[in-house]
Each structure stands twice: as structure tokens, then as C-alpha cells.
Amino acid sequence: MNLERVRHKARLLIGRERLVAPAFTYRIENDVAAVACTIGPALEQRVAELFRAGERLLALELDALGNERLFCLAKRALAAIERETRRRGQHVGDERYPGDPGIGIEEQPRVLEMANAAAKGIRSTPGGMLSPVKSMSFVVPLGTTLAKSRGGPCRRCPSRERCASAKR
Ligand code: SF4
């Protein structure tokens, strides 16, 4: 099966089986916003099923589409924070993710707590992995003199090269 057909099939699966349940939450404390977002557990469970059934290509494509949806969701969350920050007369800086320089992976639980991630069913394992797997957390600095780089979450999105909407 060619890749386009597999991609199409994966998209149909997402719609038909409602594999994506996007949700995000954020809270602003002082000059930092903490964010958590997820597309829920259904897609990763379906990917695992497909692998077990030997449908490797479809599983990989479904997984890739899940990543796209998650990064796009992070963009939506960031846009909501930007709007709120502008109303406060401030700007946002570049977002940073646990594991980035200056914010260790061990900070994951603190970021989740600050964002009230549990309200969306997002948790951290002791090793700093997120559950559901297709979840993400990050912090955004806020201030009157800050400016963000172009791109936001698109800079890290694995689908950036093939995405027509990528902000470069
Ligand atoms: S590169 Fe495309 S798929 Fe990825 S976050 Fe940006 S707009 Fe979404």
C-alpha cells in the first residue's frame, strides 16, 4: 500500500473511532504560564493494537498523525496564553519543555501541578514520562520586554517538513 493511502486510512480511523480527544489546561503564576495538553489515550492504544496485529505501516502513520495533532494542540494552547498575556499588557517569550536546558525532566511533576494537569487526566511517571503518552507540558515566560522566536511548537513538530501550515 502506498504511503498516501496509508495516511488516508489512518485519518479515517481517527475520525471513525474517535481516537483524538484534545484537551489543554494552563495557569499563570507571576510571570510564568505552565501548560499541559493531551490528545487522550485512545490513539496510543489503537497504535499498540495495530502493531500487535502486524499492521506496522498503519500503526506508524497513525502514531505520526497523533504527534501532529498534539503539536497543533500545543500551538492552540500557546495562542490562548498569548491572547491572555496581551490583555495583561505583557508578551510571551519562547516556551520551554521539561528536559530542555535549564529545566530538568525532574521538573515535570511541578509543571503539571502548576498547570492543574490532573484535571485533564495527565500525569507523570516517576521517570518524568507523561501519561497518556500523547501529552505534553511546557512553561512560557511572560514579561513586558519579552519576544518569542518564530515557529513556536512547529519548530519541534516531527511533521514540520511535510506540513503546509508550519510556521518556520
Ligand atoms: S508543523 Fe504543522 S502539524 Fe506540526 S504543529 Fe505546526 S501546523 Fe501543526
Side-chain angles (χ1 to χ4, degrees), residues 28-34 88 90-91 93 114 140-144 146:
I28 295 176
E29 251 180 54
N30 302 318
D31 285 339
V32 178
R88 293 155 53 116
Q90 290 184 310
H91 305 284
M114 194 178 149
V140 189
L142 317 174
T144 51
L146 289 174

Side-chain angles (χ1 to χ4, degrees), residues 25-78:
T25 171
Y26 70 86
R27 272 205 304 224
I28 295 176
E29 251 180 54
N30 302 318
D31 285 339
V32 178
V35 190
C37 44
T38 187
I39 61 164
L43 187 137
E44 76 202 43
Q45 286 162 4
R46 194 69 174 96
V47 167
E49 273 175 28
L50 288 167
F51 271 121
R52 280 197 297 274
E55 299 235 41
R56 189 171 172 276
L57 257 187
L58 184 56
L60 288 172
E61 197 51 41
L62 188 60
D63 190 66
L65 286 180
N67 290 335
E68 278 182 20
R69 302 290 172 98
L70 181 59
F71 275 89
C72 284
L73 182 61
K75 274 178 63 175
R76 272 175 50 200
L78 197 53

Side-chain angles (χ1 to χ4, degrees), residues 7-27:
R7 195 163 293 165
H8 181 65
K9 202 169 164 189
R11 283 204 186 95
L12 289 181
L13 262 188
I14 287 179
R16 196 169 56 233
E17 298 184 13
R18 300 197 178 134
L19 298 178
V20 169
F24 71 79
T25 171
Y26 70 86
R27 272 205 304 224

